[in-house]
Amino acid sequence: MQPDQERLPAAVLAEAAASLPDDVTGYHDALLAAADAHDPIRMDHLVHGWAQARAELLPLTDPAELTMQAVLDRRLGQILFGAGHPAAAQVLSDALGAAVLADDEIETLRCHVALVPVEVLLGDPDALAAGRGYVEQLQALGEPGHAAGGLMGLAQVAPPEEGPVLVLRASHLYEQAGDPGWAAEAAVLAARALSAAGDPRAPDALDRARRLVHAHATVELRVALAEVEAIVLWQGGDSTTAAALLGEAISASERTGRPVAPDLQIMLCDILVDSEQWEALRAPATALVRFGELVEDDELTSLGQRYLARAAAPTM
């Protein structure tokens, strides 16, 4: 069953209609441009396009093209790993192999650190320490932005108390590298994790996130910051303001045609239930049902229906 095109976010539909490159150089250059523009929708489209095209475009022999392959395969492997796909390890290994063949020291280090989360999950007790070493080497080579990217990967498999600290450090390194968009995203992620855990460092991290997002405002970053602000307000007992803030952020994203993560709708529903705003609960609950139907996710659809039932009979 194909998704109902009319119900997809406008930005997703526009990107789906955009053309994809036809060679490794085109994919590589387009991906870097999308990363510089902090455009996650374009990045995802390019990476998925590369996943389909790489079988026809490989193998490569030119060192410059091998480096490009390494960059593309590394990003593809990281997305596959995040999705729990079993092909992640092989694609990341392919990336490392291409970087080694290209004799590219920086990209080889980046691929090594990208493989660390896989190695940790496979039970290698020394993998995380090795990953920290790769990051230090990247810093020593004058590559703070690449070191930051490595830290973001390591944070996925670091101990819970260390992960947010690695992400916050990554934010500082991104800023040092002159990359305000990724510095802001890392700061928001760190603030979210620290706030959710009630960590005393959360207020400082949130102040940093506010500053960076205001200096590099995108729809996605504004929504992400609003989520953190709502968490803090909700934890502080102000469910009404938390719901208003998060609801406006979601509405702003929808008005610009950007997709809204279902987790945000779920959080908004929970806040509205907590503050007993039953009429306001209908809109995000309905959005959850529609999204669940669109992606054929019965669990999301059922969750949205349960919220709708609460809105209809709040004393249940």
Side-chain angles (χ1 to χ4, degrees):
M1 178 178 176
Q2 293 297 317
D4 182 353
Q5 293 284 309
E6 293 183 358
R7 288 166 59 182
L8 289 170
V12 174
L13 287 173
E15 179 56 42
S19 61
L20 288 170
D22 55 13
D23 60 13
V24 66
T25 302
Y27 271 105
H28 173 266
D29 293 352
L31 182 62
L32 293 190
D36 288 343
H38 205 80
D39 186 345
I41 297 176
R42 179 64 175 163
M43 290 177 68
D44 283 351
H45 190 199
L46 288 163
V47 172
H48 286 100
W50 171 249
Q52 299 298 316
R54 66 191 295 273
E56 295 182 2
L57 297 176
L58 302 182
L60 302 167
T61 56
D62 178 75
E65 290 187 336
L66 282 166
T67 293
M68 294 176 190
Q69 178 199 336
V71 171
L72 291 162
D73 276 353
R74 173 171 48 77
R75 182 59 183 154
L76 172 58
Q78 289 170 323
I79 288 180
L80 291 172
F81 177 81
H85 198 289
Q90 183 58 58
V91 174
L92 288 169
S93 295
D94 290 347
L96 177 58
V100 170
L101 284 174
D103 196 25
D104 186 319
E105 181 181 14
I106 300 298
E107 187 56 36
T108 297
L109 286 169
R110 296 182 75 190
C111 290
H112 270 303
V113 76
L115 264 167
V116 167
V118 174
E119 295 164 346
V120 168
L121 290 190
L122 290 176
D124 184 344
D126 302 317
L128 195 55
R132 296 189 191 98
Y134 299 137
V135 168
E136 297 302 327
Q137 289 181 66
L138 285 166
Q139 282 191 261
L141 290 168
E143 298 288 347
H146 295 334
L151 288 172
M152 295 294 284
L154 297 183
Q156 298 179 69
V157 291
E161 67 278 5
E162 185 184 359
V165 178
L166 293 178
V167 175
L168 189 57
R169 183 183 166 199
S171 175
H172 286 278
L173 287 173
Y174 277 130
E175 190 173 26
Q176 180 185 332
D179 195 336
W182 294 108
E185 176 161 332
V188 171
L189 289 172
R192 187 192 193 287
L194 293 170
S195 297
D199 191 292
R201 294 166 293 187
D204 288 341
L206 184 53
D207 284 343
R208 173 179 176 79
R210 290 188 187 110
R211 173 177 66 81
L212 290 169
V213 170
H214 292 159
H216 189 86
T218 66
V219 174
E220 285 84 4
L221 287 174
R222 284 186 180 277
V223 171
L225 179 60
E227 179 187 7
V228 182
E229 302 271 19
I231 289 173
V232 173
L233 288 165
W234 193 16
Q235 287 176 334
D238 190 353
S239 299
T240 301
T241 306
L245 179 65
L246 187 57
E248 175 51 35
I250 290 172
S251 295
S253 183
E254 291 172 337
R255 287 195 300 272
T256 57
R258 312 297 281 185
V260 176
D263 287 351
L264 288 182
Q265 300 284 17
I266 293 171
M267 179 178 167
L268 177 56
C269 287
D270 286 338
I271 296 174
L272 291 169
V273 169
D274 187 54
S275 54
E276 299 184 350
Q277 297 184 59
W278 306 116
E279 185 60 34
L281 178 60
R282 295 179 186 276
T286 300
L288 269 181
V289 172
R290 289 176 175 169
F291 184 82
E293 291 173 346
L294 179 63
V295 299
E296 299 181 341
D297 186 321
D298 293 340
E299 187 173 340
L300 272 181
T301 303
S302 176
L303 181 60
Q305 290 169 340
R306 289 199 295 273
Y307 283 125
L308 282 174
R310 288 298 306 274
T315 57
M316 295 175 52

